[in-house]
Amino acid sequence: MSRSGQMEHETLIEMSATTDGEDGNGPFFETNSNIDSDNPGISEGLSSTESTFLINNHQRIDKHHQSKDSVFFRDGLRRIDFVLSYTDDPNKETDKKKAERRKEFESNLIKTGLELETEDKKESESGKIYFIKIHAPWDVLSTYAEVLGIKVPIKENDIDPPRENPLDCLLKPFKLPNHVMYPEPDYFTAAFSKQKQELFLINDQNTFFSPATRNRIVYYILSRCPYGTEEGKKKFGIKRLQNNGTYTSAYPLHDCQYWKKAKEELCHSERFTLYSQWAKFARFYKEQPLDLIRKYYGEKIGIYFAWLGYYTEMLFYAAVVGFFCFLYGWITMDDNLGSKEICSPDIGGQIIMCPLCDKTCEFWKLNTTCEPSRYSHMFDNVATLFFAIFMGIWVTLFLEFWKRRQARLEYEWDLVDFEEEQQQLQLRPEYEVKCTQKRKNPVTQEIEMVMRRSAVNFFGKLFLCWMSIVFWISLIIASMIAVIVYRLAVYAAFASIMENNDALRPVSSLLTPQLATSVTASCLNFIIIMILNFLYERVAIWITDMEIPRTHLEYENRLTMKMFLFQFVNYYSSCFYVAFFKGKFVGYPAEYTYMFNVWRNEECDPAGCLIELTTQLTIVMAGKQIWGNIQEAIVPYILNWWGSRKARNNPEDLYSRWEQDYDLQTFGPLGLFYEYLEMVIQFGFITLFVASFPLAPLLALLNNILEIRVDSWKLTTQFRRPIASKAHSIGVWQEILNGMAVLSVVTNAFIVAFTSDMIPRLVYFYAYTENMDSRMSGYINSSLSFFDVVDFSNDSMPIENEMNITTCRYRDYRYPPDHGRKYLHTMQYWHILAAKMAFIIIMEHVVFVVKFFVAWLIPDVPSEVKARIKREKYLTQKILHEYELCKWQEKLREKSNCAEVAKQVFASKGKVQLSAAM
């Protein structure tokens, strides 16, 4: 195959160790000796009417009359693959050093074969910013495509597509047009080889590699290009140059404005297609164009949206079941005999309860908690048990079916042979610069550079890192204790205010002191959570940077574990307190339990603590989702609006494409990390505590429908184009989700057993009822014990006793004061405790058995995908072997070294036969 546009020379990046004084200081670029004279970045692509001259080794061409809203160089042919920007003040000493670094850096970029074109600061909107446009010619792209193992088309896919589902016609309103869903034909692919270019379907070298692949290759070069030696160490990498202010930004360009198509015919306007078909909220009911997302943004972002879409789809089923469970509780609310007894003037109105705080609180009547007890039944009923078991199975189905969906995407996106070990070749520049020691690789037997780690330095950093994590987790626990102290301290204040304030009497049935304390404490806890999140994010990044992980994958995994551990404690600690600690260690009126010997521990409402857990979960979960959407959508919009306010007054053809993108926000390398973290924390809310709030999956579903469109809108309109990167899975998040799925079974079993009143009601129903016609009548009276007020300690006795109360009731199962075992636990208490433990063991074992059986039953990779993978591997090997056979036969005809060539021909025939047999 002829290649008229192919360059004469080759440029290779050398990732091995340097020698002779440059040991371990990072990679260097090896180029041919004639590169300076024959550099295509200086002479190629210029017309005869253009004047050229160099400014700091940049290519500079006189201005055309064409629009600056373009993704091409001034010649209109070479695509802009990357843009660098900087400001320069020659009078400042620091800027002189930066200029020297830039000159060296850009000179090395040109030596690698990249082509540069500079936009003077006078042509920028602010008059202060230089823009350097970078183009990667075919020779550079083909070289680094082989280095990075990028797969490219080798043959059209000849496997018949799956049969159409007869029900697909019903789903037509939810479908997108085929040209949006499938922007490219389906091909068999193979890793690119520069020496075997004839094998690949190269119709046009300018469009063979997608823009996402091109910017990935250019960034790979930028992150490893040296720019000089400082303090005896070789410095390199665009990230370091951005950190020290040499460059203000580095980014690939969007291909057009999001609200209209580009004018150039060579530009496909994929950004406009994504905005009009995907990012608009009016399209919330449509499927996502995952192939187009992958093509434009890269596999890593594509896999995130695939996971988020599948998670949202599975949430629909959980939301429907949860809604019907809630509906059941709402319908049967008026039939609940327990709340009827509490609200009855003859029962609840005659029961005098012991004070809920020391001295200042008064005796109170049970029917004052009528409304909360009625609403508690909506979440604390038999449907709750069913829903907790259902969610344990749903989690397993979601994770197993996602594995199958992920396997299908791996095949469709050419990620089958992409292993995380390939990332080991792509070391972090921050690690490479620290490599000062040589070591023989035990696998490859090649000399490689490694970082010198002394035992004292290593363990010192390790100790500092983990002590920092322990300190911040301790800070979270301390803040939670502070909120608990707040709850204990303000309850008495709320009780006295509500009792003595006539204005609050109309709402006193709804807004009880317990509820007011719970709501205000939940809001305060949410504010503390947000503040601690803001601080710890920066600390976690600082700690991970200090550890100097070897690869980007290792860096993300370490940061993920630190952030998730912190977020887990931060978000869920208050829910764990209400679910498993509040009201469990109260004591009894004669011997209350005190926190720090000062504050009396909280009691649950007579109807149980479940309604408080529901309140806590709703406030934290809903507040986090609202705040997250504000941060993700409104804040970037305001910043972009303010940053581009001047440029909006200029004609579009003068507001250049690179300046438009420069004014957008940066989607950093940790952008997806925060998106995953947000969704995983939400996943915890709807699984760990779902037994207390069946509507949690519905809230998550509504949020995620909005989240998909908000994320797509901000990525398409408010952020610069991210640098494309590969990923074949959601990474360590899969293991975190699996761990939370197992933990959710345990937490929901404990919530049903210890937080709800279901087990005590069942024990009373089957063992202690005295009315066979109405088995639950008398349950409230049975769950309350008697106490003689003369047994109050001096610190607990109420100051006022206007009603001359002699006996009060409290929530526990203890003998009355006139019994021989005064205030000791009754047999009913031990029966209930045994029933709770038995329920936990039975529920956990049943759900775990079902979970593991379902996981075993569902294969991770569909059989259809396995067959397609085998077919592709077979055809690829056959094509490659036949190509080798053809080459050796040509050499054999040339009659040079016939014996050796004949041996190679025979070996190649054997490979072809082996491929067919396999």
Side-chain angles (χ1 to χ4, degrees):
M1 186 181 295
S2 63
R3 310 252 179 241
S4 59
Q6 190 166 335
M7 295 182 181
E8 296 291 331
H9 67 278
E10 296 181 356
T11 307
L12 297 176
I13 181 171
E14 187 68 39
M15 296 303 297
S16 60
T18 57
T19 57
D20 299 332
E22 290 186 352
D23 290 333
N25 292 321
F28 67 95
F29 295 90
E30 181 181 325
T31 61
N32 291 342
S33 59
N34 63 343
I35 190 71
D36 291 329
S37 59
D38 271 339
N39 193 334
I42 297 177
S43 60
E44 180 177 322
L46 302 181
S47 65
S48 59
T49 59
E50 292 173 329
S51 60
T52 62
F53 56 96
L54 296 179
I55 297 181
N56 294 335
N57 287 338
H58 307 161
Q59 185 176 343
R60 180 71 187 277
I61 308 172
D62 287 343
K63 294 180 65 176
H64 280 279
H65 296 292
Q66 69 184 85
S67 170
K68 294 177 72 176
D69 184 22
S70 172
V71 293
F72 294 94
F73 275 21
R74 292 193 186 97
D75 57 15
L77 299 175
R78 290 171 295 168
R79 189 183 187 94
I80 301 173
D81 296 313
F82 227 87
V83 174
L84 308 178
S85 67
Y86 67 92
T87 57
D88 188 24
D89 186 353
N91 298 323
K92 291 184 179 179
E93 186 64 29
T94 56
D95 280 10
K96 291 181 180 178
K97 292 183 179 179
K98 292 177 183 177
E100 293 175 0
R101 294 192 196 114
R102 282 193 296 269
K103 182 176 180 179
E104 179 70 18
F105 183 72
E106 290 156 19
S107 175
N108 288 331
L109 288 180
I110 292 175
K111 290 177 181 178
T112 66
L114 295 178
E115 301 173 9
L116 311 181
E117 185 177 82
T118 301
E119 292 287 334
D120 192 82
K121 64 180 180 180
K122 296 178 182 178
E123 300 170 1
S124 68
E125 176 61 34
S126 64
K128 300 177 181 178
I129 304 173
Y130 291 91
F131 290 96
I132 303 170
K133 298 173 288 185
I134 301 175
H135 169 74
W138 170 258
D139 195 53
V140 173
L141 293 173
S142 58
T143 298
Y144 286 92
E146 185 171 1
V147 170
L148 297 175
I150 293 173
K151 288 190 173 184
V152 294
I154 194 171
K155 184 182 185 299
E156 287 193 20
N157 193 333
D158 61 355
I159 299 178
D160 295 332
R163 296 179 181 178
E164 292 187 2
N165 190 334
L167 299 179
D168 282 349
C169 59
L170 300 177
L171 301 176
K172 193 172 182 180
F174 305 100
K175 299 288 186 180
L176 288 172
N178 280 337
H179 74 276
V180 177
M181 285 300 298
Y182 310 106
E184 293 180 328
D186 193 11
Y187 295 103
F188 290 134
T189 58
F192 185 81
S193 173
K194 195 172 182 180
Q195 286 72 34
K196 302 176 183 178
Q197 294 186 31
E198 293 82 0
L199 282 173
F200 305 104
L201 304 179
I202 305 176
N203 296 322
D204 185 354
Q205 292 181 352
N206 294 322
T207 59
F208 181 67
F209 293 108
S210 68
T213 303
R214 296 172 71 101
N215 76 60
R216 178 183 166 213
I217 290 174
V218 173
Y219 184 73
Y220 183 84
I221 298 172
L222 291 174
S223 63
R224 286 157 176 78
C225 181
Y227 60 84
T229 303
E230 297 178 6
E231 300 177 356
K233 295 182 179 180
K234 195 170 184 178
K235 303 292 184 180
F236 62 91
I238 186 62
K239 186 176 180 180
R240 187 180 293 273
L241 289 172
Q242 286 182 265
N243 291 338
N244 61 32
T246 303
Y247 291 100
T248 56
S249 61
Y251 54 93
L253 290 180
H254 283 294
D255 62 355
C256 67
Q257 294 172 332
Y258 67 85
W259 63 88
K260 68 176 184 178
K261 293 184 177 181
K263 298 177 181 178
E264 293 97 346
E265 295 181 358
L266 297 176
C267 185
H268 298 296
S269 300
E270 292 171 345
R271 185 190 188 191
F272 169 78
T273 304
L274 286 170
Y275 173 71
S276 59
Q277 300 290 339
W278 177 51
K280 288 185 176 180
F281 185 75
R283 297 272 177 170
F284 74 92
Y285 61 93
K286 295 283 190 180
E287 61 183 339
Q288 297 187 87
L290 294 177
D291 287 346
L292 184 58
I293 297 170
R294 172 245 183 171
K295 181 184 176 186
Y296 191 76
Y297 291 115
E299 287 81 2
K300 194 170 186 178
I301 291 179
I303 207 79
Y304 163 72
F305 280 104
W307 176 82
L308 180 57
Y310 193 77
Y311 171 44
T312 305
E313 180 183 334
M314 291 294 291
L315 272 177
F316 173 78
Y317 306 105
V320 170
V321 176
F323 176 75
F324 279 108
C325 290
F326 172 79
L327 196 62
Y328 169 82
W330 181 66
I331 292 173
T332 60
M333 182 172 61
D334 294 331
D335 299 329
N336 180 33
L337 195 56
S339 60
K340 282 183 178 180
E341 290 184 351
I342 292 176
C343 296
S344 171
D346 298 328
I347 302 176
Q350 301 301 316
I351 296 177
I352 305 300
M353 301 296 293
C354 296
L356 293 173
C357 64
D358 294 336
K359 292 187 177 181
T360 56
C361 292
E362 300 179 356
F363 298 98
W364 52 286
K365 292 184 178 181
L366 181 60
N367 63 354
T368 58
T369 62
C370 173
E371 292 300 322
S373 67
R374 293 179 71 246
Y375 294 134
S376 178
H377 177 73
M378 290 192 296
F379 307 104
D380 191 0
N381 55 70
V382 68
T384 301
L385 173 60
F386 165 77
F387 191 57
I389 297 174
F390 168 81
M391 286 301 293
I393 300 172
W394 174 89
V395 165
T396 304
L397 291 174
F398 163 62
L399 294 176
E400 293 303 316
F401 281 122
W402 164 247
K403 290 178 184 176
R404 292 171 62 85
R405 174 66 173 141
Q406 187 171 263
R408 191 178 297 276
L409 288 175
E410 285 183 26
Y411 167 73
E412 293 175 354
W413 291 357
D414 300 323
L415 300 170
V416 173
D417 295 326
F418 176 80
E419 298 293 340
E420 302 298 350
E421 285 76 11
Q422 291 184 15
Q423 299 283 350
Q424 304 302 317
L425 297 174
Q426 303 177 26
L427 303 178
R428 296 177 66 240
E430 294 83 357
Y431 174 85
E432 288 180 309
V433 78
K434 297 288 185 180
C435 292
T436 57
Q437 188 174 356
K438 293 181 179 180
R439 185 189 68 179
K440 179 182 286 188
N441 189 306
V443 178
T444 63
Q445 295 297 308
E446 294 179 356
I447 300 297
E448 63 180 9
M449 303 304 298
V450 295
M451 188 172 69
R452 187 190 303 273
R453 292 183 185 269
S454 65
V456 175
N457 187 29
F458 174 75
F459 288 108
K461 285 186 177 182
L462 188 65
F463 176 78
L464 179 62
C465 293
W466 282 103
M467 285 303 298
S468 300
I469 295 172
V470 171
F471 167 77
W472 279 92
I473 292 178
S474 302
L475 187 62
I476 297 172
I477 297 174
S479 67
M480 184 188 70
I481 294 174
V483 173
I484 295 173
V485 170
Y486 164 84
R487 299 170 71 113
L488 301 176
V490 304
Y491 176 81
F494 278 124
S496 60
I497 291 173
M498 292 181 178
E499 288 174 2
N500 301 322
N501 194 329
D502 295 334
L504 295 177
R505 291 193 183 279
V507 295
S508 60
S509 61
L510 294 173
L511 188 63
T512 62
Q514 295 99 318
L515 184 60
T517 302
S518 180
V519 171
T520 55
S522 299
C523 294
L524 178 62
N525 184 68
F526 174 72
I527 294 172
I528 293 174
I529 286 173
M530 292 296 104
I531 294 173
L532 290 176
N533 272 351
F534 176 80
L535 297 175
Y536 184 76
E537 281 179 10
R538 286 143 184 82
V539 174
I541 293 173
W542 172 74
I543 293 173
T544 310
D545 287 341
M546 190 169 60
E547 292 175 350
I548 317 177
R550 189 167 183 263
T551 65
H552 294 285
L553 177 66
E554 189 178 341
Y555 181 91
E556 287 189 10
N557 288 347
R558 290 190 185 186
L559 181 62
T560 296
M561 295 309 299
K562 292 183 183 67
M563 284 295 295
F564 175 74
L565 182 63
F566 172 83
Q567 299 270 22
F568 184 92
V569 178
N570 197 20
Y571 277 106
Y572 303 142
S573 57
S574 58
C575 293
F576 272 100
Y577 165 72
V578 175
F580 306 122
F581 295 98
K582 183 179 178 181
K584 308 299 186 296
F585 309 99
V586 177
Y588 63 100
E591 194 176 333
Y592 282 123
T593 305
Y594 291 83
M595 178 180 285
F596 307 126
N597 294 323
V598 177
W599 294 283
R600 193 173 113 190
N601 285 352
E602 285 184 284
E603 297 182 43
C604 287
D605 190 272
C609 270
L610 199 67
I611 189 68
E612 291 193 41
L613 178 58
T614 303
T615 303
Q616 176 80 21
L617 185 66
T618 305
I619 290 176
V620 176
M621 181 178 175
K624 181 184 182 301
Q625 292 176 349
I626 293 171
W627 178 250
N629 287 326
I630 291 174
Q631 280 186 312
E632 291 181 12
I634 297 178
V635 172
Y637 177 80
I638 293 174
L639 293 175
N640 288 337
W641 175 84
W642 181 258
S644 62
R645 63 192 186 281
K646 292 182 180 179
R648 289 195 300 270
N649 299 323
N650 291 337
E652 288 187 2
D653 60 348
L654 296 181
Y655 190 25
S656 64
R657 161 68 28 222
W658 42 93
E659 286 183 279
Q660 293 175 37
D661 286 10
Y662 179 82
D663 289 336
L664 298 177
Q665 300 301 302
T666 302
F667 192 82
L670 296 179
L672 277 186
F673 166 80
Y674 293 112
E675 301 295 342
Y676 275 119
L677 184 62
E678 178 186 3
M679 289 295 102
V680 170
I681 294 298
Q682 182 205 82
F683 181 82
F685 280 124
I686 69 165
T687 54
L688 296 177
F689 308 102
V690 74
S692 67
F693 190 35
L695 290 180
L698 179 60
L699 290 182
L701 173 65
L702 297 176
N703 174 79
N704 286 8
I705 290 173
L706 179 64
E707 180 76 20
I708 291 174
R709 304 304 156 178
V710 168
D711 286 350
S712 58
W713 174 80
K714 74 177 185 182
L715 203 60
T716 308
T717 67
Q718 304 301 310
F719 283 84
R720 295 172 185 165
R721 186 173 184 170
I723 300 165
S725 57
K726 277 185 172 289
H728 78 296
S729 68
I730 61 175
V732 71
W733 298 109
Q734 182 79 36
E735 300 304 320
I736 291 175
L737 292 174
N738 289 332
M740 294 181 75
V742 173
L743 181 61
S744 68
V745 177
V746 180
T747 56
N748 283 299
F750 272 86
I751 287 173
V752 173
F754 286 98
T755 308
S756 78
D757 263 7
M758 182 175 299
I759 303 301
R761 287 198 298 264
L762 290 174
V763 171
Y764 179 83
F765 183 88
Y766 287 106
Y768 288 91
T769 181
E770 298 177 356
N771 187 345
M772 293 302 174
D773 296 329
S774 180
R775 283 181 169 271
M776 288 306 296
S777 62
Y779 167 72
I780 295 299
N781 187 62
S782 171
S783 66
L784 299 174
S785 300
F786 290 89
F787 181 77
D788 193 339
V789 297
V790 299
D791 293 329
F792 271 122
S793 65
N794 294 331
D795 295 331
S796 301
M797 184 67 183
I799 297 175
E800 298 181 3
N801 188 1
E802 297 177 355
M803 296 185 291
N804 295 320
I805 304 299
T806 59
T807 304
C808 62
R809 309 289 292 274
Y810 60 99
R811 195 171 190 267
D812 206 343
Y813 295 92
R814 293 178 183 269
Y815 288 108
D818 57 353
H819 195 276
R821 305 185 66 184
K822 178 180 178 181
Y823 300 141
L824 295 179
H825 284 120
T826 64
M827 189 58 65
Q828 186 176 354
Y829 169 82
W830 298 110
H831 285 168
I832 291 173
L833 181 60
K836 288 179 176 179
M837 301 307 296
F839 169 80
I840 291 173
I841 294 172
I842 293 172
M843 178 180 171
E844 285 183 357
H845 281 70
V846 169
V847 176
F848 278 135
V849 167
V850 174
K851 278 171 62 69
F852 292 129
F853 176 74
V854 169
W856 171 81
L857 192 64
I858 302 174
D860 291 347
V861 182
S863 57
E864 172 205 351
V865 173
K866 287 182 179 179
R868 287 171 174 262
I869 292 173
K870 290 179 180 178
R871 171 68 176 166
E872 180 167 344
K873 284 186 175 180
Y874 161 71
L875 287 178
T876 302
Q877 290 177 354
K878 183 179 179 182
I879 292 172
L880 291 174
H881 295 159
E882 287 178 348
Y883 174 81
E884 292 179 2
L885 179 61
C886 182
K887 289 294 184 183
W888 285 113
Q889 286 176 340
E890 289 180 2
K891 289 186 177 181
L892 184 60
R893 284 193 292 269
E894 294 173 0
K895 299 180 181 180
S896 59
N897 195 6
C898 295
E900 180 65 26
V901 173
K903 188 184 298 183
Q904 294 295 339
V905 170
F906 180 77
S908 297
K909 287 182 179 179
K911 291 179 181 179
V912 175
Q913 294 172 357
L914 179 61
S915 296
M918 292 175 63

